[in-house]
């Protein structure tokens, strides 16, 4: 992956790269969140090494070039062919991440370094993996990591309650062997998915830097006192590129993030940026934020906040 040197000109380049690869059309197979919200489908990788069931009202994001993560040895791992799926169902966030790597097992160990929680070894269909559980006062978060021969899969779920039926069904349906067809569950391959609407904008020239520069806290209270707050369950640190380390690039990078009612990040505004590929890394970190949407009168709503990423040499 070629690291992007971010200047006042190449911020536009980043936006064009993302938007040119994102079809702004809803998945033709996706039902509305109303009448078919309870319907589940089985989503399957094209090579057949992974499948899982998810509510049909899922949202999808893909990007070919991906991002990099630094390793303890000082090198970099390229996470390509990114596929992110999310569904907000019964007040529970369900999420799938798929990445193609040259060394998926090494990628598994590296991405776990950027994840906080209680780690343990697990196994599914003879495939060993890792599980990280983060029980909190406001939300229960669980993530499972599996590396096949070509891909890394991250299966995660967040709920205000640990005993969520949606979490149990979601995790139990994960399959790392050819799945048997089910009469009542439709199978959809990743290649059949279409990107959900997503916007990446440049706010560096619009005066956006003067608006709410605080990072999004773990719980944000909407204006109405009887409303449920937005809960940030996990916020992955962005990777530090080799070129940024070599040139000693440090600083604070800010993104304006729309945490949508559907449980996904639907819009990102670049409020301030850093060079040597760091802006790209921050964008991918923001896209992978796991959260429970704010609610008003019992219904999920979108909330926009500025998220801050600090890059420092250590």
């Amino acid at each position: 992956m070629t690291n992007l040197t971010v200047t006042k000109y190449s911020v536009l380049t980043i936006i064009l790269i993302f938007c040119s690869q994102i079809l702004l059309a809803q998945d033709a197979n996706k039902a509305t969140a109303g009448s078919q919200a309870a319907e589940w489908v089985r989503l399957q990788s094209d090579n057949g090494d992974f499948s899982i069931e998810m509510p049909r009202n899922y949202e999808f994001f893909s990007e070919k070039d991906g991002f990099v993560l630094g390793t303890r040895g000082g090198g970099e791992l390229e996470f390509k062919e990114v596929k992110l799926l999310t569904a907000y169902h019964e007040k529970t966030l369900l999420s799938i991440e798929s990445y193609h790597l040259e060394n998926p097992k090494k990628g598994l160990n590296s991405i776990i370094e950027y994840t906080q929680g209680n780690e343990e070894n697990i196994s599914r269909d003879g495939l060993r993996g890792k599980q990280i559980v983060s029980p909190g006062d406001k939300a229960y978060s669980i993530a499972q990591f599996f590396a096949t021969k070509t891909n890394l899969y991250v299966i995660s779920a967040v709920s205000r309650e640990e005993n969520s039926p949606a979490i149990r069904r979601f995790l139990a349906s994960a399959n790392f062997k050819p799945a048997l067809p089910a009469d009542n569950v439709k199978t959809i391959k990743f290649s059949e998915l279409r990107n959900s609407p997503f916007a990446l904008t440049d706010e560096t020239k619009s005066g956006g830097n003067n608006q709410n520069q605080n990072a999004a806290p773990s719980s944000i209270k909407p204006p109405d006192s009887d409303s449920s707050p937005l809960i940030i369950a996990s916020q992955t640190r962005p990777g530090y590129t080799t070129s940024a380390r070599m040139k000693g690039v440090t600083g604070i990078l800010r993104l304006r993030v729309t945490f949508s009612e559907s449980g996904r990040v639907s819009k990102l505004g670049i409020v301030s940026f850093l060079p040597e590929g760091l802006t790209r890394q921050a964008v991918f970190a923001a896209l992978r934020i796991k959260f429970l949407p704010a609610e008003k009168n019992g219904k999920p709503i979108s909330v926009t906040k500025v998220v801050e990423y600090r890059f420092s040499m250590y």
Side-chain angles (χ1 to χ4, degrees), residues 98-117:
S98 171
Y99 308 103
H100 178 76
L101 295 94
E102 290 186 3
N103 190 333
K105 289 184 179 180
K106 192 173 182 180
L108 184 153
N109 293 329
S110 294
I111 203 169
I112 282 179
E113 295 177 14
Y114 292 80
T115 308
Q116 296 181 341

Side-chain angles (χ1 to χ4, degrees), residues 143-217:
Q144 296 181 349
F145 305 77
F146 293 95
T148 64
K149 292 182 179 180
T150 59
N151 285 69
L152 169 65
Y153 298 101
V154 183
I155 311 164
S156 55
V158 182
S159 179
R160 288 178 171 84
E161 297 180 1
E162 179 177 346
N163 236 358
S164 164
I167 291 181
R168 292 199 302 270
R169 174 171 180 174
F170 179 61
L171 296 182
S173 71
N175 201 323
F176 291 93
K177 59 184 179 181
L180 296 175
D183 294 335
N184 60 338
V185 179
K186 180 180 179 180
T187 298
I188 302 174
K189 291 186 177 181
F190 285 172
S191 58
E192 299 176 46
L193 304 176
R194 296 294 179 266
N195 280 292
S196 302
F198 170 76
L200 180 64
T201 59
D202 178 10
E203 298 184 12
T204 58
K205 299 178 182 179
S206 64
N209 296 46
N210 297 323
Q211 304 177 30
N212 189 7
Q213 300 303 310
N214 294 325

Side-chain angles (χ1 to χ4, degrees), residues 60-71:
F60 179 63
F61 171 91
S62 65
E63 209 273 343
K64 181 179 179 180
D65 293 334
F67 60 100
V68 301
L69 279 183
T71 63

